[in-house]
């Protein structure tokens, strides 16, 4: 099939939906950085990135995808296939808002 622009195609094909969720989040951070919406450095936290977006039209959407990512990744929640496709919609909506 077609390769996903989010780099999660292999993870999804292998049923690794938690990894795919992480890749969506990292892609969102890269897009925000590339567009100059956040200043990415290795030592910044998700809270720091949220602070960069405070008061912008992206703040609420970023809070939404951050909550999803942190729940899946740091909470070690095993994301099922149906849950992943719901999660993916949140990331796609955010990417539209960002203008990617």
């Amino acid at each position: 099939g077609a390769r996903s622009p989010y780099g999660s195609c292999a993870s999804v094909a292998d049923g690794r939906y938690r990894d795919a969720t992480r890749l969506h989040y990292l892609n969102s951070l890269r897009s925000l950085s590339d567009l100059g919406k956040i200043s990415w450095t290795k030592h910044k936290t998700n809270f720091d990135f949220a602070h960069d977006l405070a008061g912008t039209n992206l703040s609420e959407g970023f809070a939404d995808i951050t909550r999803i990512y942190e729940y899946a990744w740091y909470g070690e929640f095993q994301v099922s296939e149906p849950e992943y496709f719901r999660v993916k919609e949140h990331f796609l909506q955010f990417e539209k808002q960002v203008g990617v």
Side-chain angles (χ1 to χ4, degrees):
R3 181 160 172 77
S4 168
Y6 303 102
S8 61
C9 189
S11 296
V12 171
D14 293 342
R16 293 181 292 130
Y17 301 110
R18 184 172 164 255
D19 291 342
T21 300
R22 180 173 186 266
L23 291 172
H24 277 292
Y25 191 74
L26 294 175
N27 185 70
S28 294
L29 291 178
R30 172 177 270 172
S31 295
L32 289 167
S33 178
D34 289 350
L35 293 169
K37 304 289 185 185
I38 62 170
S39 174
W40 187 90
T41 65
K42 186 168 133 177
H43 302 288
K44 286 181 95 171
T45 66
N46 295 339
F47 180 81
D48 293 328
F49 296 130
H51 181 74
D52 288 348
L53 295 170
T56 72
N57 66 329
L58 301 175
S59 179
E60 195 172 312
F62 185 74
D64 180 49
I65 65 166
T66 299
R67 193 170 32 255
I68 291 167
Y69 164 68
E70 289 181 348
Y71 186 69
W73 195 251
Y74 298 114
E76 297 184 21
F77 180 75
Q78 294 307 312
V79 180
S80 70
E81 183 176 10
E83 291 163 334
Y84 169 72
F85 287 105
R86 284 192 299 274
V87 161
K88 181 179 173 182
E89 285 305 312
H90 286 261
F91 283 97
L92 293 176
Q93 192 66 26
F94 183 69
E95 291 280 326
K96 281 185 198 170
Q97 190 179 12
V98 170
V100 179

